[in-house]
Amino acid sequence: MRAVIIHAPRDLRVEPYEICDPGPRQVKVRVGAGGICGSDLHYYQHGGFGTVRIREPMVLGHEVAGTVVAAGSAVTGIKPGDRIAINPSNPCLSCKFCREGAHHHCLDMRFYGSAMRFPHVQGAFREEIVIEEHQAFPVGDISLGEAAFAEPLSVCLHAVNRAGSLLGKRVLVTGCGPIGCLTILAARHAGAGEIVATDIAAATLAKARQVGADRALDAGDRDALSTYAADKGYFDVAFECSGNAQALNTALQAVRAGGTIVQIGLAGGEIPIPINMAVAKEILLKGTFRFDAEFGFAVALLSRRAVDVSPLLTATLPLERAVEAFELAADRSRAMKVQLSFAG
């Protein structure tokens, strides 16, 4: 079968890739749809991010859904023909964090399409993949393209959980790419009373309004944003989704004294924090990393269409056009979320 393999920056190839039979507690899946994530783009454009670099050819992709074609002898909850979303996390289940139930902090995590360890953890942009039974989550009557949103939606649901109750709260979302827009959907589902979004791209701001932001403001419009900074801030909670230092500064100014900022977006390197402002306003700054139990919740929300992710899917291109798909996904003026189709 074939897979999407990165060899070096801008050197992305669709090549043959070997596959084995499933073990007793594994299932073989025919991948149907896979979403291109920001980390995939970092590997494609730059060969990595921060200190993480590609050191060997690596299959990309971790936002995937497909159909089970074979199941191991000890598998009980999944059968051939089941349509599933694939959780790309494969924790060790034995380290101190796994024993505490914080599987996303596993000390020996194998997360699909990651060069953080060597040998790299190969990704899921393949026509077929063998996974552990616990990674398979059956989906309802939705498309596999919608099901492939389970992973990024899980990231946003975890971030919302980190913020605490949003019921009736005033929420700011800075950066409205796929994660920002999914955060808007997750925050609204959690009961946010008002959501204001900021970004620098007109097309992205329009999409933020479409998925439920009450206002969407150009991040460069300092006059509009300054009104939210008056009297020690306006918002109860901010989700910073861009990894941009100026956006974090905006959030610190606009969040009210005693409010919370959840940092979702990651920069290529470290970003400075105006610590004096954070201290003086007693702001609670929280990190958020991947997800854990939220994956099953994301699948449930998508399966019953409690959140509608369809406005975020810009295009679906066949596997053979993977390079074109990555180029489109990198163009924020034209694309929100681009997916690959692996159907033969």
Side-chain angles (χ1 to χ4, degrees):
M1 60 94 189
R2 297 172 299 169
V4 178
I5 302 175
I6 188 73
H7 289 258
R10 302 284 176 178
D11 185 3
L12 186 71
R13 311 176 198 174
V14 177
E15 297 179 314
Y17 196 82
E18 293 185 1
I19 187 168
C20 60
D21 292 327
R25 297 191 179 279
Q26 295 178 320
V27 296
K28 180 185 289 187
V29 182
R30 174 72 177 182
V31 177
I36 299 172
C37 175
S39 62
D40 296 319
L41 289 174
H42 277 297
Y43 287 125
Y44 172 64
Q45 294 176 313
H46 311 296
F49 49 90
T51 60
V52 177
R53 297 285 126 185
I54 298 170
R55 297 164 57 192
E56 65 177 345
M58 183 177 75
V59 180
L60 293 177
H62 55 266
E63 301 178 7
V64 292
T67 304
V68 176
V69 295
S73 59
V75 172
T76 58
I78 302 293
K79 64 184 184 303
D82 284 352
R83 300 162 65 255
I84 63 167
I86 299 176
N87 186 337
S89 300
N90 194 8
C92 72
L93 304 180
S94 61
C95 73
K96 63 180 181 180
F97 291 110
C98 285
R99 293 196 304 271
E100 293 170 359
H103 301 107
H104 57 304
H105 288 302
C106 173
L107 296 175
D108 193 25
M109 172 67 77
R110 296 180 179 276
F111 191 90
Y112 286 155
S114 173
M116 293 181 70
R117 59 189 297 162
F118 187 85
H120 301 332
V121 183
Q122 300 297 315
F125 282 173
R126 325 177 197 179
E127 290 179 305
E128 290 187 342
I129 186 170
V130 172
I131 67 172
E132 303 299 321
E133 181 183 10
H134 66 76
Q135 295 178 269
F137 287 74
V139 300
D141 187 20
I142 58 175
S143 69
L144 290 178
E146 291 172 291
F149 274 90
E151 194 277 340
L153 179 58
S154 301
V155 170
C156 303
L157 291 171
H158 183 65
V160 165
N161 283 341
R162 293 283 293 148
S165 174
L166 294 186
L167 188 62
K169 298 292 181 66
R170 295 181 289 205
V171 172
L172 173 67
V173 177
T174 57
C176 298
I179 291 297
C181 284
L182 287 168
T183 298
I184 292 170
L185 287 168
R188 186 65 79 193
H189 185 270
E194 179 183 359
I195 301 176
V196 176
T198 68
D199 202 281
I200 59 174
T204 306
L205 290 170
K207 193 64 67 174
R209 296 185 192 95
Q210 186 179 357
V211 298
D214 297 292
R215 294 187 70 191
L217 303 174
D218 188 323
D221 188 347
R222 308 316 303 171
D223 290 337
L225 292 172
S226 65
T227 61
Y228 293 111
D231 300 325
K232 290 195 174 183
Y234 175 83
F235 297 101
D236 302 295
V237 177
F239 296 97
E240 206 301 282
C241 303
S242 69
N244 178 274
Q246 183 55 53
L248 178 57
N249 187 64
T250 294
L252 282 164
Q253 294 182 53
V255 167
R256 66 189 299 275
T260 299
I261 297 174
V262 180
Q263 183 67 41
I264 306 177
L266 293 174
E270 299 297 329
I271 62 174
I273 299 176
I275 197 66
N276 288 346
M277 191 188 315
V279 169
K281 293 176 68 176
E282 295 187 323
I283 288 182
L284 185 60
L285 178 61
K286 293 187 175 184
T288 181
F289 183 66
R290 291 180 181 163
F291 51 85
D292 190 17
E294 291 88 358
F295 193 89
F297 185 39
V299 171
L301 290 178
L302 291 167
S303 293
R304 66 173 187 264
R305 299 190 188 278
V307 295
D308 182 11
V309 296
S310 59
L312 302 181
L313 182 56
T314 302
T316 301
L317 277 68
L319 172 64
E320 295 80 6
R321 296 167 61 188
V323 172
E324 181 183 348
F326 271 71
E327 289 291 339
L328 176 60
D331 187 348
R332 293 192 66 201
S333 68
R334 296 192 295 145
M336 177 62 66
K337 175 63 70 177
V338 176
Q339 291 185 347
L340 291 170
S341 171
F342 295 82

